[in-house]
Amino acid sequence: MKKLFSVIIVFFLFFQAVCQSEGIQIVMPKKIYVGDTAELHYLFSSELDLFSHVYEKNEMELPLDRLSYESDTDDFLIKKAVLQKNGKNYTLIITFVPWITGFLKIPDFILSDLILIDSLIPLKIAPQPVEVLSMLSESTDTPLKEPCPPLLLPGTMYVMYALLIVFLLFVAVIVNVVVKRNKIRDAIERRITLHRYARNARKTVRSLNALLKSEKSMSDAEFAMLFENRMREYLSVRYGKNFKSHVSSSIGVLIEEATGGFLDDEKREACFSLVSLFVRADYIRFARNSVDSERLPQEKYRASFNEGEKKSLIENACSAIFAFELNKGSR
């Protein structure tokens, strides 16, 4: 009996080794800074058909709420996880945002738990640590040039030339020190600003998710009002303007003014999307019992959220926040 049990264990371990090969990890981009959106590509092969429950598909997004740990922490934020199939080869793409510098380790997890398949083999994903760089390390200057000693040459004129050279070198050293000090100060101020932006974004995303979880305890109008208040607080910190005392239709204009009109296409699209969310929330708040709310079809004109609309509202708002925070070097 003991021999049979040992044979079963050996066969199980061998089968597990055949089913899944050791993963290969690729991180894009190569240099990652705090607040950047990066992708971790984890490539592996398996004899198991991980898409057996999803017919005629070679890609599926994995539910992050089934992870054994939180996807949004003080160290990182996992935005999305997608699994792609190519024959027996698989690619797991994890889109994440780091919040700390140094080596970031995304915890291991069991892939089969996220795919919702019954498997005797635990498909373990073990990402390697990823290095997150500091912007201060990129702003270091070349060392200051050491001043040369004066040339001891005979004659008064040569002494004057030597003193002039020493004076010019001294001035050059002072100028370089001042320039370097300003760069260090600017780098520190920039880091503090980026940290404030990142903390503001994390706080708002968590607040919106908490609002969605408590939706059943409030009316649609209250939900819309709290949604607008939290987004206005986020925008006020992000762009240094008071968004709380302006109507929803002027939100886009205020963002354009705060950025000097230098929004890229992705941020401008997020701005338009956010304005439409504000307009929809205003309609829910103020159109109740109005003539317009009685028009048909009710799905379009009634002053209440449709099924699943609250979740869509929060998801679109979070997407807009991620777009505003992407590539923080620009407004």
Side-chain angles (χ1 to χ4, degrees):
M1 186 66 181
K2 292 182 178 180
K3 291 183 178 180
L4 177 60
F5 183 74
S6 300
V7 170
I8 293 174
I9 292 177
V10 172
F11 176 77
F12 180 81
L13 295 176
F14 173 77
F15 180 72
Q16 181 177 0
V18 171
C19 283
Q20 181 182 10
S21 65
E22 184 177 355
I24 300 175
Q25 178 173 304
I26 301 174
V27 180
M28 296 185 296
K30 292 183 178 180
K31 288 187 177 181
I32 305 175
Y33 300 91
V34 174
D36 285 350
T37 298
E39 289 186 353
L40 187 151
H41 291 235
Y42 192 89
L43 291 75
F44 65 95
S45 60
S46 175
E47 295 293 334
L48 296 176
D49 185 3
L50 305 182
F51 283 69
S52 59
H53 64 298
V54 183
Y55 300 104
E56 297 182 358
K57 286 188 176 181
N58 294 322
E59 178 176 315
M60 61 178 168
E61 184 171 349
L62 305 180
L64 298 179
D65 55 356
R66 294 187 63 85
L67 286 171
S68 58
Y69 52 85
E70 293 292 333
S71 61
D72 185 3
T73 69
D74 291 335
D75 294 342
F76 62 85
L77 166 66
I78 298 179
K79 297 171 61 175
K80 184 171 62 173
V82 176
L83 184 64
Q84 298 176 346
K85 175 184 179 182
N86 184 12
K88 297 181 180 180
N89 299 319
Y90 296 89
T91 301
L92 176 63
I93 304 176
I94 301 176
T95 304
F96 67 99
V97 179
W99 303 125
I100 60 172
T101 58
F103 284 92
L104 172 66
K105 176 67 170 70
I106 296 179
D108 302 348
F109 59 91
I110 304 302
L111 182 59
S112 53
D113 292 345
L114 276 65
I115 305 177
L116 304 178
I117 63 172
D118 296 329
S119 174
L120 297 176
I121 309 302
L123 302 176
K124 183 177 181 181
I125 301 298
Q128 297 299 315
V130 177
E131 184 177 7
V132 181
L133 302 176
S134 170
M135 289 188 176
L136 287 178
S137 62
E138 296 293 317
S139 63
T140 55
D141 296 326
T142 55
L144 296 178
K145 193 172 183 180
E146 291 292 334
C148 298
L151 299 176
L152 300 178
L153 298 175
T156 304
M157 187 60 68
Y158 295 108
V159 173
M160 295 299 296
Y161 286 154
L163 292 176
L164 180 60
I165 292 174
V166 172
F167 175 77
L168 292 177
L169 288 175
F170 178 77
V171 172
V173 169
I174 295 299
V175 171
N176 284 334
V177 169
V178 172
V179 171
K180 185 176 180 180
R181 182 186 63 184
N182 291 337
K183 288 186 177 180
I184 293 177
R185 182 191 61 192
D186 292 343
I188 293 176
E189 291 179 352
R190 175 180 173 80
R191 180 174 177 83
I192 293 174
T193 300
L194 294 180
H195 179 72
R196 184 172 72 252
Y197 288 164
R199 183 174 57 187
N200 178 47
R202 293 199 305 270
K203 175 184 176 183
T204 305
V205 171
R206 291 173 180 172
S207 177
L208 292 176
N209 289 330
L211 177 63
L212 183 61
K213 291 180 181 179
S214 59
E215 61 170 316
K216 295 182 180 179
S217 63
M218 64 186 74
S219 65
D220 287 356
E222 291 174 331
F223 184 93
M225 179 189 67
L226 292 175
F227 166 78
E228 288 194 42
N229 290 342
R230 294 174 185 183
M231 287 305 301
R232 288 177 186 274
E233 290 178 1
Y234 162 77
L235 293 172
S236 297
V237 175
R238 182 62 178 83
Y239 291 108
K241 280 182 172 290
N242 184 10
F243 283 78
K244 299 179 182 179
S245 59
H246 291 81
V247 296
S248 299
S249 58
S250 65
I251 294 295
V253 177
L254 288 175
I255 294 177
E256 286 283 355
E257 291 178 353
T259 58
F262 288 102
L263 285 175
D264 58 32
D265 292 340
E266 184 174 0
K267 289 182 174 61
R268 182 166 285 105
E269 183 178 349
C271 180
F272 291 152
S273 174
L274 189 60
V275 170
S276 67
L277 298 181
F278 271 96
V279 172
R280 176 57 176 163
D282 280 346
Y283 186 83
I284 299 297
R285 293 175 61 187
F286 304 116
R288 184 179 181 183
N289 297 327
S290 66
V291 176
D292 193 63
S293 65
E294 302 298 329
R295 296 170 60 189
L296 297 177
Q298 290 187 351
E299 293 79 5
K300 181 177 180 181
Y301 293 104
R302 66 184 177 188
S304 61
F305 288 109
N306 297 317
E307 183 178 357
E309 188 177 1
K310 292 180 181 178
K311 181 178 179 181
S312 176
L313 187 79
I314 298 301
E315 290 177 349
N316 290 334
C318 291
S319 297
I321 292 175
F322 291 140
F324 290 144
E325 300 301 320
L326 186 64
N327 295 327
K328 293 190 177 100
S330 60
R331 295 291 290 181

